[in-house]
Amino acid sequence: MPRTSDISSCGEDYERFIESILETELVWTLVNDEGHYANSESNDINGVAVLLFWSDKDDATKVQKRQFPGFKAVTISLFDFIFRWLNGMEKDNALVGPNFTDSLFGREISPVEFQELLLNSMPEEQQVSYLAKLRLVQVRPDGRLDG
C-alpha cells in the first residue's frame, strides 16, 4: 500500500521527470550484474511489468538502497530512451514508471503515450534535432534501431 506522501507527490514527481530529462537529456535506471533492470509489477494492471526510471541519480539511488540492493544506477541518453527503450517496452507490453518512489509507487504510462508526450513537450529545435538523428538510424528487421 502506498504511503500518503507517495500519492500526494505522484503528479509532481511525474512532471519533474519530464522537465528534467528534457533539460539534461539523461534518464536514470537501475541494473544488476546480470543485466536485469529495475522493475515492479503494475499497481494498476495485474501481471504487467513497469520498468522504472528516474530523472536524477539521487532519486534512483534512494530507491536502489531500499528496494534493489544488488543494482547500480546507470544513465540512458534521452534519444535512446525515446526511440529504443520505449519502442522495445511497447513490444514487450511493459509500462513506464517515471520517478517511482522508494515504496515503488508512481504514475504508470504506456510507452507509446509517453513517447508522444515527450516529443510534444520538447522545444522545437530539440525535436527537430532528434527526428533528424532518427532518420540516420537504421531499422532492423525486428523493428529495433541500429546506429
Side-chain angles (χ1 to χ4, degrees):
M1 175 103 170
R3 299 180 301 224
T4 304
S5 61
D6 291 336
I7 295 168
S8 64
S9 69
C10 184
E12 293 169 12
D13 290 340
Y14 179 76
E15 293 299 323
R16 182 171 49 85
F17 181 87
I18 294 167
E19 290 172 15
S20 180
I21 68 169
L22 291 178
E23 181 180 320
T24 65
E25 298 189 56
L26 292 175
V27 177
W28 289 87
T29 192
L30 301 173
V31 64
N32 67 14
D33 290 338
E34 290 81 41
H36 298 123
Y37 289 89
N39 66 82
S40 175
E41 185 171 331
S42 172
N43 293 305
D44 299 326
I45 307 168
N46 284 341
V48 173
V50 179
L51 270 67
L52 308 179
F53 303 96
W54 294 269
S55 56
D56 62 63
K57 186 176 184 177
D58 289 343
D59 286 344
T61 301
K62 181 179 177 183
V63 175
Q64 177 268 324
K65 287 179 181 173
R66 181 157 183 223
Q67 297 288 346
F68 300 96
F71 287 63
K72 63 182 176 187
V74 296
T75 58
I76 304 165
S77 75
L78 181 58
F79 180 87
D80 285 347
F81 180 70
I82 292 173
F83 296 112
R84 290 187 169 100
W85 280 77
L86 295 178
N87 288 339
M89 290 172 62
E90 181 68 22
K91 289 180 173 92
D92 294 339
N93 295 313
L95 296 173
V96 181
N99 277 353
F100 261 42
T101 66
D102 63 353
S103 59
L104 300 182
F105 185 77
R107 181 157 179 197
E108 301 172 6
I109 186 167
S110 82
V112 168
E113 185 179 343
F114 200 57
Q115 184 182 56
E116 184 177 322
L117 174 71
L118 289 173
L119 289 170
N120 290 333
S121 298
M122 283 182 172
E124 185 177 353
E125 58 277 0
Q126 186 180 25
Q127 188 181 64
V128 168
S129 171
Y130 273 52
L131 294 174
K133 183 177 177 181
L134 181 61
R135 284 187 202 87
L136 300 174
V137 175
Q138 299 285 328
V139 178
R140 298 187 321 207
D142 65 1
R144 301 203 186 253
L145 304 177
D146 277 338

